[in-house]
Amino acid sequence: MSTATEARPEPTTEAIVSGRSSAPRRRTSRTNDTPFIGRLLANVFLWGYAIIAIGPLLLMVNNSLRTQQQIATEPLGLPLQPTFTSFQNAWITASFDTYFINSITVTVGSVIVTTVVSVLAAYAFARARAKFFRGVEAVFLSGLMLPVHLAILPLFYLLDSLRMTSNVFSLILVYGALGIPFTTFVLTVFFRALPIELEEAARIDGAGPFRTFVQILLPLVRPALATVIVFRFVPVWNDFFYPLILLRDRDSYTLPVGLTRFFGEYSTDWPQLFAGLTIATIPLVVLFLLATKQIINGLTSGMSK
């Protein structure tokens, strides 16, 4: 007499020892489309944002290689016969070489002033334990809450009384002072994250305070230094407000103010304007390409702890 259901085969000793079972395995589908869809949407969003951000830059470079008539007839046309005359005219005829040197001098000088003062102040605030330094740190950080543009009138009168208007050195001091609160705040956080045992070990090995600070601590906060340098370089390089008010002589103009010379009452030299914008953008692109790794390390420091 045959039974309706057959008994399942018992696993053999060899199968048990080897960890395998002769019983049929049921295949389970573990396919989950949610992570794939999330990555796809993130990539689409990032590529779309990149195209939107790069589009104006490509249009700027494209129109700088064309003539005034070509831009007037076909604003979005391609430079089938590219010409670099607009760059030559902007650099020499429109005194862009002078504006470029002034911008480099003001930006680099102010960033150096801000970085040197802030890194020394940040180290002192990070290691000091007296309440007096806490009060001084609060005074430094209070600069983050002040609307700096409201101080332009007393600042102008102060520089005018010192006969420092129409002088790029005055802009270096102004920008250097404006960047100290934010830079000090960022560097203080990084210095406080460094263990004090590093300094104690260096002191035992015979290193003095200055050598310990320069050779041990500064290399450890290099990502933070790169981040604050870029964050100060970009707004100073692009600033139009302070140079317009504090500089009276055309020979001391920076690039943002010098670009206004291309705008006329009835017509605008668009090829030279786009060429000037391209020249003003090149240092920023080079800076980001050189400091991208350090910027990412500075922004993501401590996130993996």
Side-chain angles (χ1 to χ4, degrees), residues 82-248:
T83 175
F84 294 91
T85 306
S86 58
F87 286 92
Q88 183 179 359
N89 293 336
W91 185 258
I92 299 176
T93 306
S95 303
F96 243 64
D97 53 347
T98 304
Y99 304 151
F100 189 86
I101 294 174
N102 291 338
S103 291
I104 288 290
T105 303
V106 170
T107 305
V108 174
S110 62
V111 168
I112 291 176
V113 171
T114 299
T115 305
V116 172
V117 175
S118 299
V119 74
L120 296 176
Y123 176 68
F125 293 150
R127 291 295 182 256
R129 299 180 179 178
K131 294 183 178 180
F132 171 76
F133 287 96
R134 299 297 182 185
V136 177
E137 182 181 1
V139 173
F140 267 72
L141 299 182
S142 63
L144 295 173
M145 300 179 291
L146 298 177
V148 293
H149 291 88
L150 295 180
I152 186 60
L153 189 60
L155 185 61
F156 175 80
Y157 284 127
L158 174 63
L159 295 177
D160 186 56
S161 63
L162 297 175
R163 300 183 184 275
M164 293 183 62
T165 55
S166 297
N167 189 350
V168 294
F169 183 71
S170 62
L171 280 181
I172 293 176
L173 295 180
V174 171
Y175 287 133
L178 294 178
I180 288 176
F182 172 76
T183 308
T184 303
F185 170 74
V186 174
L187 294 179
T188 301
V189 175
F190 273 80
F191 276 118
R192 284 175 177 166
L194 298 179
I196 198 172
E197 288 78 11
L198 294 175
E199 302 171 54
E200 295 175 352
R203 192 180 302 112
I204 293 175
D205 292 338
F210 181 78
R211 184 179 178 183
T212 302
F213 176 75
V214 173
Q215 296 186 358
I216 297 178
L217 298 182
L218 279 185
L220 294 177
V221 297
R222 186 171 56 186
L225 288 175
T227 302
V228 296
I229 286 174
V230 173
F231 280 6
R232 287 306 305 162
F233 189 98
V234 175
V236 173
W237 181 268
N238 293 328
D239 187 59
F240 177 79
F241 181 73
Y242 286 103
L244 178 65
I245 297 177
L246 299 180
L247 300 179
R248 300 178 182 178

Side-chain angles (χ1 to χ4, degrees), residues 60 64 85-105 237-238 240 250-263 269-283:
M60 176 184 66
S64 66
T85 306
S86 58
F87 286 92
Q88 183 179 359
N89 293 336
W91 185 258
I92 299 176
T93 306
S95 303
F96 243 64
D97 53 347
T98 304
Y99 304 151
F100 189 86
I101 294 174
N102 291 338
S103 291
I104 288 290
T105 303
W237 181 268
N238 293 328
F240 177 79
R250 283 187 174 183
D251 293 334
S252 60
Y253 281 175
T254 57
L255 283 175
V257 181
L259 285 171
T260 59
R261 297 189 60 184
F262 293 114
F263 292 94
D269 193 341
W270 292 108
Q272 288 193 33
L273 176 61
F274 285 120
L277 291 172
T278 303
I279 295 173
T281 307
I282 289 176

